[in-house]
Amino acid sequence: MQAVILVGGLGTRLRPITFDIPKALVPLRNEPFIGYMIDFLRAGGVDGVVLSMGYMPDPIQEYFAGREDLKDFPIHYAVEDRPLGTAGGIKNAERYLDGEPLVVVNGDVLTGTDLAKAVELHQSSDSLATITLTSVEDPTAYGLVEVDHDMLVRRFLEKPAADEVTTNLVNAGIYVLESEVLRSIPEDREVSIEREIFPDLQARGKLRAHISSSYWRDIGTPRSYLAASHDALSGAVGAPRKGFEYLDVNSSTECGKNVKILPPVSVAAGCEIGHSASIGGRTSLGNGCRVGEGAVVEGSILLDGAEIDSGAVVRGSIIGPGARVGQNAIVRGLSVLGARCVVGEGNVLDQGVRINPGVVVSPRSLSF
Ligand code: GTP
């Protein structure tokens, strides 16, 4: 069975990280995210994929070119010259597909869902599409999906107010589609599978649900990316691949608890790197990071080459590749620093502040 992986989106909610790294390659436990997606699909019986691409396709293709272990696994690239949306992107992949039922996944989903089970359920029904649903704690931030006792989809509710919530089941971004659905997608224009194709199938009684209670999270926002990183580091989901092992420094008192470090990184004496009970959870340090004396890094992700100067504090935040947090500066509260930016000495960044790539903030000029 083939799968289409949708990786063409801009990833605006994860900016400024996605200005430099497409969401599919954002690292989780120091491995590009798409690696987890390939493992998930192969475990579910998928034997070839088409990547439906638009934004920053080249680094994604380079990643796959370097994956020697996938050389016998068929991978095709369907690159859009303008955004075609989630259904238009599937249509654009049609020339690489074999005309059989296919799996479609959003490329930003981390899950332990039983894909083979979803396929089996689909094949034993007369529906044209089967959509995997998962339950979430705060349904108001999602598109909700109501189902009846026969698992037929009854209604879609887009980001409802708290008093309109009738279910906590949301679209998990994992579908099984008959090729007839693919043929019905209009060509050469932007088409959304969630807003156009599924409501039409639902109205015809041809859209069924597979409810999954397995682990599920998307990595589309700073909060969910940090949570996914924590879950991967704690072993709740996804196994590390050979070449992406990291040194577990659990036992080191200097580095606090539950820190996993992929060498080479430099951690000065007296700094604290660890686990935050609130947002973020565990910390991950990318290749070539440097943490200075007396600095504190908790519940955060430091991408490759990030530098934290002495006495600085980073909590529940994402520090982009090559970015630098100056001496005694504080970055916290889901703040995100873009690649190569510099936060000068003594600044305080809080409440989800985002600093664009390459920006230099002079010492003590910002306080949020
Ligand atoms: P935001 O801008 O933060 O909403 O992120 P996004 O661009 O990734 O959009 P969203 O999370 O809604 O997209 C769900 C999945 O569809 C992601 O894996 C996207 O990469 C993918 N996607 C979104 N739009 C397109 C598109 O126009 N073409 C293709 N091929 N994929 C898309």
Side-chain angles (χ1 to χ4, degrees), residues 287-308:
N287 248 313
C289 287
R290 186 182 57 76
V291 182
E293 211 174 312
V296 174
V297 183
E298 283 181 352
S300 295
I301 299 171
L302 271 52
L303 299 186
D304 290 356
E307 300 186 64
I308 313 301

PDB file of all heavy atoms in Angstrom, residues 287-308:
ATOM      1  N   ASN A 287      23.357  19.116  18.351  1.00  0.00           N
ATOM      2  CA  ASN A 287      24.785  19.056  18.057  1.00  0.00           C
ATOM      3  C   ASN A 287      25.482  20.397  18.215  1.00  0.00           C
ATOM      4  O   ASN A 287      24.981  21.410  17.717  1.00  0.00           O
ATOM      5  CB  ASN A 287      24.941  18.693  16.582  1.00  0.00           C
ATOM      6  CG  ASN A 287      25.533  17.335  16.430  1.00  0.00           C
ATOM      7  OD1 ASN A 287      26.521  17.007  17.085  1.00  0.00           O
ATOM      8  ND2 ASN A 287      24.925  16.551  15.566  1.00  0.00           N
ATOM      9  N   GLY A 288      26.610  20.401  18.888  1.00  0.00           N
ATOM     10  CA  GLY A 288      27.431  21.611  18.953  1.00  0.00           C
ATOM     11  C   GLY A 288      26.868  22.712  19.836  1.00  0.00           C
ATOM     12  O   GLY A 288      27.308  23.856  19.749  1.00  0.00           O
ATOM     13  N   CYS A 289      25.910  22.396  20.694  1.00  0.00           N
ATOM     14  CA  CYS A 289      25.393  23.439  21.606  1.00  0.00           C
ATOM     15  C   CYS A 289      26.434  23.739  22.682  1.00  0.00           C
ATOM     16  O   CYS A 289      27.270  22.896  23.012  1.00  0.00           O
ATOM     17  CB  CYS A 289      24.113  22.970  22.296  1.00  0.00           C
ATOM     18  SG  CYS A 289      22.717  22.941  21.188  1.00  0.00           S
ATOM     19  N   ARG A 290      26.315  24.929  23.232  1.00  0.00           N
ATOM     20  CA  ARG A 290      27.218  25.282  24.331  1.00  0.00           C
ATOM     21  C   ARG A 290      26.398  25.921  25.443  1.00  0.00           C
ATOM     22  O   ARG A 290      25.577  26.809  25.172  1.00  0.00           O
ATOM     23  CB  ARG A 290      28.269  26.276  23.830  1.00  0.00           C
ATOM     24  CG  ARG A 290      29.342  26.604  24.844  1.00  0.00           C
ATOM     25  CD  ARG A 290      30.318  27.622  24.294  1.00  0.00           C
ATOM     26  NE  ARG A 290      29.659  28.858  23.878  1.00  0.00           N
ATOM     27  CZ  ARG A 290      29.214  29.799  24.707  1.00  0.00           C
ATOM     28  NH1 ARG A 290      29.319  29.646  26.013  1.00  0.00           N
ATOM     29  NH2 ARG A 290      28.637  30.893  24.246  1.00  0.00           N
ATOM     30  N   VAL A 291      26.580  25.427  26.657  1.00  0.00           N
ATOM     31  CA  VAL A 291      25.869  26.012  27.798  1.00  0.00           C
ATOM     32  C   VAL A 291      26.923  26.503  28.788  1.00  0.00           C
ATOM     33  O   VAL A 291      27.756  25.724  29.258  1.00  0.00           O
ATOM     34  CB  VAL A 291      24.927  24.981  28.467  1.00  0.00           C
ATOM     35  CG1 VAL A 291      24.167  25.623  29.621  1.00  0.00           C
ATOM     36  CG2 VAL A 291      23.941  24.404  27.455  1.00  0.00           C
ATOM     37  N   GLY A 292      26.884  27.802  29.087  1.00  0.00           N
ATOM     38  CA  GLY A 292      27.936  28.401  29.918  1.00  0.00           C
ATOM     39  C   GLY A 292      27.730  28.195  31.412  1.00  0.00           C
ATOM     40  O   GLY A 292      26.679  27.724  31.864  1.00  0.00           O
ATOM     41  N   GLU A 293      28.723  28.604  32.134  1.00  0.00           N
ATOM     42  CA  GLU A 293      28.767  28.426  33.586  1.00  0.00           C
ATOM     43  C   GLU A 293      27.554  29.048  34.280  1.00  0.00           C
ATOM     44  O   GLU A 293      27.172  30.194  33.986  1.00  0.00           O
ATOM     45  CB  GLU A 293      30.027  29.126  34.087  1.00  0.00           C
ATOM     46  CG  GLU A 293      30.604  28.478  35.304  1.00  0.00           C
ATOM     47  CD  GLU A 293      31.944  29.147  35.645  1.00  0.00           C
ATOM     48  OE1 GLU A 293      32.774  29.317  34.737  1.00  0.00           O
ATOM     49  OE2 GLU A 293      32.089  29.503  36.822  1.00  0.00           O
ATOM     50  N   GLY A 294      26.971  28.265  35.158  1.00  0.00           N
ATOM     51  CA  GLY A 294      25.873  28.790  35.972  1.00  0.00           C
ATOM     52  C   GLY A 294      24.573  29.017  35.209  1.00  0.00           C
ATOM     53  O   GLY A 294      23.615  29.542  35.765  1.00  0.00           O
ATOM     54  N   ALA A 295      24.519  28.637  33.943  1.00  0.00           N
ATOM     55  CA  ALA A 295      23.270  28.815  33.181  1.00  0.00           C
ATOM     56  C   ALA A 295      22.264  27.743  33.581  1.00  0.00           C
ATOM     57  O   ALA A 295      22.640  26.680  34.067  1.00  0.00           O
ATOM     58  CB  ALA A 295      23.555  28.741  31.690  1.00  0.00           C
ATOM     59  N   VAL A 296      20.977  28.043  33.378  1.00  0.00           N
ATOM     60  CA  VAL A 296      19.925  27.076  33.686  1.00  0.00           C
ATOM     61  C   VAL A 296      19.113  26.840  32.413  1.00  0.00           C
ATOM     62  O   VAL A 296      18.647  27.796  31.788  1.00  0.00           O
ATOM     63  CB  VAL A 296      18.983  27.619  34.790  1.00  0.00           C
ATOM     64  CG1 VAL A 296      17.798  26.677  35.023  1.00  0.00           C
ATOM     65  CG2 VAL A 296      19.745  27.848  36.081  1.00  0.00           C
ATOM     66  N   VAL A 297      18.974  25.586  32.006  1.00  0.00           N
ATOM     67  CA  VAL A 297      18.159  25.258  30.826  1.00  0.00           C
ATOM     68  C   VAL A 297      17.179  24.174  31.228  1.00  0.00           C
ATOM     69  O   VAL A 297      17.586  23.080  31.636  1.00  0.00           O
ATOM     70  CB  VAL A 297      19.031  24.758  29.648  1.00  0.00           C
ATOM     71  CG1 VAL A 297      18.167  24.503  28.425  1.00  0.00           C
ATOM     72  CG2 VAL A 297      20.126  25.753  29.317  1.00  0.00           C
ATOM     73  N   GLU A 298      15.904  24.484  31.162  1.00  0.00           N
ATOM     74  CA  GLU A 298      14.899  23.508  31.605  1.00  0.00           C
ATOM     75  C   GLU A 298      13.757  23.436  30.609  1.00  0.00           C
ATOM     76  O   GLU A 298      13.301  24.474  30.095  1.00  0.00           O
ATOM     77  CB  GLU A 298      14.301  23.927  32.943  1.00  0.00           C
ATOM     78  CG  GLU A 298      15.195  23.652  34.120  1.00  0.00           C
ATOM     79  CD  GLU A 298      14.546  24.070  35.431  1.00  0.00           C
ATOM     80  OE1 GLU A 298      13.472  24.710  35.410  1.00  0.00           O
ATOM     81  OE2 GLU A 298      15.121  23.763  36.467  1.00  0.00           O
ATOM     82  N   GLY A 299      13.240  22.219  30.382  1.00  0.00           N
ATOM     83  CA  GLY A 299      12.039  22.028  29.564  1.00  0.00           C
ATOM     84  C   GLY A 299      12.118  22.724  28.227  1.00  0.00           C
ATOM     85  O   GLY A 299      11.132  23.305  27.769  1.00  0.00           O
ATOM     86  N   SER A 300      13.271  22.642  27.574  1.00  0.00           N
ATOM     87  CA  SER A 300      13.469  23.425  26.351  1.00  0.00           C
ATOM     88  C   SER A 300      14.094  22.580  25.255  1.00  0.00           C
ATOM     89  O   SER A 300      14.570  21.473  25.496  1.00  0.00           O
ATOM     90  CB  SER A 300      14.394  24.613  26.641  1.00  0.00           C
ATOM     91  OG  SER A 300      13.753  25.491  27.544  1.00  0.00           O
ATOM     92  N   ILE A 301      14.097  23.143  24.052  1.00  0.00           N
ATOM     93  CA  ILE A 301      14.792  22.502  22.940  1.00  0.00           C
ATOM     94  C   ILE A 301      15.843  23.488  22.449  1.00  0.00           C
ATOM     95  O   ILE A 301      15.512  24.630  22.100  1.00  0.00           O
ATOM     96  CB  ILE A 301      13.824  22.169  21.777  1.00  0.00           C
ATOM     97  CG1 ILE A 301      12.731  21.205  22.249  1.00  0.00           C
ATOM     98  CG2 ILE A 301      14.594  21.586  20.597  1.00  0.00           C
ATOM     99  CD1 ILE A 301      11.617  20.992  21.222  1.00  0.00           C
ATOM    100  N   LEU A 302      17.103  23.043  22.443  1.00  0.00           N
ATOM    101  CA  LEU A 302      18.176  23.845  21.861  1.00  0.00           C
ATOM    102  C   LEU A 302      18.556  23.174  20.549  1.00  0.00           C
ATOM    103  O   LEU A 302      18.997  22.016  20.550  1.00  0.00           O
ATOM    104  CB  LEU A 302      19.393  23.887  22.787  1.00  0.00           C
ATOM    105  CG  LEU A 302      19.457  24.990  23.852  1.00  0.00           C
ATOM    106  CD1 LEU A 302      18.214  25.053  24.704  1.00  0.00           C
ATOM    107  CD2 LEU A 302      20.693  24.842  24.711  1.00  0.00           C
ATOM    108  N   LEU A 303      18.351  23.859  19.435  1.00  0.00           N
ATOM    109  CA  LEU A 303      18.706  23.271  18.149  1.00  0.00           C
ATOM    110  C   LEU A 303      20.215  23.398  17.931  1.00  0.00           C
ATOM    111  O   LEU A 303      20.908  24.093  18.692  1.00  0.00           O
ATOM    112  CB  LEU A 303      17.898  23.916  17.036  1.00  0.00           C
ATOM    113  CG  LEU A 303      16.367  23.730  17.197  1.00  0.00           C
ATOM    114  CD1 LEU A 303      15.627  24.259  15.988  1.00  0.00           C
ATOM    115  CD2 LEU A 303      16.002  22.280  17.407  1.00  0.00           C
ATOM    116  N   ASP A 304      20.700  22.724  16.891  1.00  0.00           N
ATOM    117  CA  ASP A 304      22.148  22.612  16.675  1.00  0.00           C
ATOM    118  C   ASP A 304      22.878  23.954  16.789  1.00  0.00           C
ATOM    119  O   ASP A 304      22.458  24.951  16.192  1.00  0.00           O
ATOM    120  CB  ASP A 304      22.440  22.033  15.285  1.00  0.00           C
ATOM    121  CG  ASP A 304      22.042  20.572  15.195  1.00  0.00           C
ATOM    122  OD1 ASP A 304      21.621  19.996  16.215  1.00  0.00           O
ATOM    123  OD2 ASP A 304      22.149  20.007  14.094  1.00  0.00           O
ATOM    124  N   GLY A 305      23.935  23.944  17.527  1.00  0.00           N
ATOM    125  CA  GLY A 305      24.808  25.116  17.598  1.00  0.00           C
ATOM    126  C   GLY A 305      24.274  26.257  18.455  1.00  0.00           C
ATOM    127  O   GLY A 305      24.864  27.339  18.473  1.00  0.00           O
ATOM    128  N   ALA A 306      23.176  26.049  19.188  1.00  0.00           N
ATOM    129  CA  ALA A 306      22.664  27.126  20.050  1.00  0.00           C
ATOM    130  C   ALA A 306      23.633  27.343  21.219  1.00  0.00           C
ATOM    131  O   ALA A 306      24.260  26.396  21.697  1.00  0.00           O
ATOM    132  CB  ALA A 306      21.279  26.769  20.564  1.00  0.00           C
ATOM    133  N   GLU A 307      23.727  28.599  21.651  1.00  0.00           N
ATOM    134  CA  GLU A 307      24.669  28.901  22.729  1.00  0.00           C
ATOM    135  C   GLU A 307      23.971  29.660  23.841  1.00  0.00           C
ATOM    136  O   GLU A 307      23.267  30.642  23.578  1.00  0.00           O
ATOM    137  CB  GLU A 307      25.815  29.758  22.205  1.00  0.00           C
ATOM    138  CG  GLU A 307      26.596  29.069  21.107  1.00  0.00           C
ATOM    139  CD  GLU A 307      27.807  29.880  20.720  1.00  0.00           C
ATOM    140  OE1 GLU A 307      28.694  30.043  21.577  1.00  0.00           O
ATOM    141  OE2 GLU A 307      27.843  30.362  19.589  1.00  0.00           O
ATOM    142  N   ILE A 308      24.190  29.198  25.049  1.00  0.00           N
ATOM    143  CA  ILE A 308      23.592  29.861  26.213  1.00  0.00           C
ATOM    144  C   ILE A 308      24.750  30.352  27.067  1.00  0.00           C
ATOM    145  O   ILE A 308      25.528  29.552  27.589  1.00  0.00           O
ATOM    146  CB  ILE A 308      22.713  28.861  27.024  1.00  0.00           C
ATOM    147  CG1 ILE A 308      21.770  28.047  26.111  1.00  0.00           C
ATOM    148  CG2 ILE A 308      21.949  29.588  28.128  1.00  0.00           C
ATOM    149  CD1 ILE A 308      20.803  28.850  25.279  1.00  0.00           C
TER     150      ILE A 308
END
